[in-house]
Amino acid sequence: MVTPRYTNLSGSTNAAFGRLALYTNSTGSNNAVLGASAFQNTTSGNNSGVGYNAGLNTTGVGNQFFGYSSGSAVTTGTYNAILGSYTGSAAPISATGSNWIVLADGQAVVGAYYQTSGA
């Protein structure tokens, strides 16, 4: 089932598949998300996410979140890449960090992380 972006005002070239995916996006462009509630509350662009609740609350740009609840607690962080079910609510990202690469397992246990020079 494809859920339309109910509040999209000026965003373009977005692809959203899943119940409430990109639901409150109003101006963000170039987002591609797959999964129920993926990037549900975002208003930014250039994000990608796959999985239930992936990127749920972010307003950050250029995030890539893959996995159940991946990045769901990242609020303003930008240019992060998370593979696994790590939400971003605690270290290393702690919801607002930017330029992180995080590898986690399906239980949100972080196995490796790295902050790029863009920080």
Side-chain angles (χ1 to χ4, degrees):
M1 177 179 159
V2 176
T3 303
R5 294 173 303 274
Y6 291 105
T7 58
N8 188 42
L9 299 173
S10 62
S12 63
T13 61
N14 292 302
F17 301 94
R19 184 174 184 273
L20 302 177
L22 283 177
Y23 186 76
T24 61
N25 181 53
S26 57
T27 58
S29 296
N30 308 316
N31 294 296
V33 300
L34 170 64
S37 300
F39 284 87
Q40 177 180 347
N41 298 317
T42 192
T43 55
S44 61
N46 303 320
N47 294 298
S48 299
V50 175
Y52 173 77
N53 277 347
L56 179 67
N57 293 311
T58 189
T59 58
V61 174
N63 290 300
Q64 316 303 311
F65 300 142
F66 300 92
Y68 170 85
S69 291
S70 177
S72 62
V74 174
T75 54
T76 58
T78 60
Y79 305 109
N80 295 298
I82 298 174
L83 177 60
S85 293
Y86 168 69
T87 65
S89 64
I93 294 178
S94 298
T96 60
S98 295
N99 302 309
W100 286 95
I101 299 168
V102 179
L103 301 174
D105 66 11
Q107 295 179 321
V109 176
V110 175
Y113 59 89
Y114 176 77
Q115 189 172 29
T116 64
S117 62

